[in-house]
Amino acid sequence: MAASADDKALVVFSGGQDSATCLAWALSLHAHVETIGFDYGQRHAVELACRAEVLSRFRALRPDWDQKLGPDALLTLDVFQQLGETALTHDVEIITTASGLPSTFVPGRNLIFLTLAAAQACRRGLRRIVTGVCETDFSGYPDCRDDTVKALQVAVNLGMESRLVMETPLMWLTKAQTWSLASELGGEALVALILEHTHTCYQGQRGERHAWGYGCGACPACELRAAGWAQYREKKASGGQRV
Ligand code: ZN
């Protein structure tokens, strides 16, 4: 039986740990899952290169996931580079700026990603949009907040005469709990896949393999990932399944 739009999802998939976990979550829950990503002039194309690799490994890991996975879309957005310098799109230092936000913050980025995802979901007949934004361990990005996503859901549904649902499975999880979720969804094989093939580092480094995956080990994204992995392993070793 063909899946209804209500059981079809679009995952905002960057190739990082969080969106890969969201992809597994969506595949476990929904009948049909498509993916969307954005090439917005990131300083490093590493994360984008990881997308295709992670997607093909998801297909190989589980035949049921392979069947559920639909097409992937990659949209090109060079507007952020035109808007000005941030540490994610230009070679500038990662610091906390005078506004209190990190220099990796690209104003409006998630708002635009989710709005474009909503447009794609409408076009493709997918009711659910899954995004890995998180308020718990977030890097101070105001557009990752629960209230921001809820407000945007209302705005796009009004503006597109739709009834889309924005799902945020990681919103209240720590990075360690995100690893636990991956383990629950796909066991150690999925944890190993995410560890080895997803990318998080702001510096785009994949030279050195740490216990927690690849990265420079010093940028805020690597620090979060390393701390989350250490906490997850510690709890697991002490017998606690849930972190
Ligand atoms: Zn790094």
Side-chain angles (χ1 to χ4, degrees):
M1 198 178 74
S4 68
D6 190 47
D7 209 13
K8 292 181 179 175
L10 179 65
V11 177
V12 180
F13 180 62
S14 69
Q17 178 195 346
D18 290 346
S19 64
T21 307
C22 282
L23 181 59
W25 181 86
L27 286 164
S28 304
L29 203 68
H30 300 307
H32 175 83
V33 177
E34 301 188 7
T35 45
I36 188 168
F38 303 96
D39 181 351
Y40 59 95
Q42 294 93 320
R43 278 206 294 183
H44 307 285
V46 172
E47 203 174 69
L48 290 178
C50 289
R51 293 180 82 251
E53 183 69 26
V54 173
L55 281 173
S56 73
R57 286 181 181 272
F58 262 65
R59 287 184 182 279
L61 187 67
R62 295 256 302 254
D64 55 329
W65 288 0
D66 183 36
Q67 278 200 329
K68 286 179 175 184
L69 261 176
D72 174 46
L74 183 66
L75 306 190
T76 306
L77 288 175
D78 57 4
V79 290
F80 294 113
Q81 278 179 315
Q82 294 169 36
L83 281 168
E85 292 193 357
T86 77
L88 279 191
T89 53
H90 291 73
D91 192 13
V92 299
E93 206 186 342
I94 299 173
I95 52 161
T96 300
T97 62
S99 63
L101 292 167
S103 57
T104 47
F105 178 60
V106 180
R109 183 178 58 156
N110 279 325
L111 298 177
I112 290 171
F113 285 180
L114 286 172
T115 304
L116 289 171
Q120 171 81 346
C122 270
R123 203 173 64 82
R124 299 278 310 156
L126 317 168
R127 182 160 181 232
R128 296 166 189 282
I129 297 166
V130 184
T131 169
V133 294
C134 166
E135 211 176 282
T136 315
D137 272 346
F138 80 141
S139 307
Y141 296 165
D143 55 356
C144 290
R145 288 185 293 208
D146 192 43
D147 287 354
T148 306
V149 177
K150 286 187 162 69
L152 191 65
Q153 176 181 299
V154 173
V156 299
N157 281 330
L158 285 171
M160 297 185 190
E161 194 63 16
S162 55
R163 206 73 188 105
L164 300 170
V165 182
M166 292 191 181
E167 298 181 322
T168 55
L170 311 186
M171 185 57 79
W172 307 109
L173 301 187
T174 63
K175 283 281 180 216
Q177 288 169 329
T178 299
W179 284 115
S180 287
L181 177 61
S183 174
E184 283 169 28
L185 293 168
E188 283 309 297
L190 180 64
V191 171
L193 189 167
I194 291 173
L195 195 63
E196 195 65 28
H197 298 288
T198 66
H199 185 80
T200 306
C201 177
Y202 284 150
Q203 307 287 354
Q205 291 189 19
R206 280 190 78 75
E208 192 179 342
R209 169 66 154 83
H210 310 268
W212 44 267
Y214 294 92
C216 72
C219 76
C222 280
E223 282 177 359
L224 266 181
R225 180 158 164 158
W229 175 256
Q231 198 195 347
Y232 165 68
R233 296 301 295 176
E234 206 176 295
K235 285 281 163 69
K236 212 171 156 61
S238 66
Q241 248 312 318
R242 278 212 77 98
V243 178

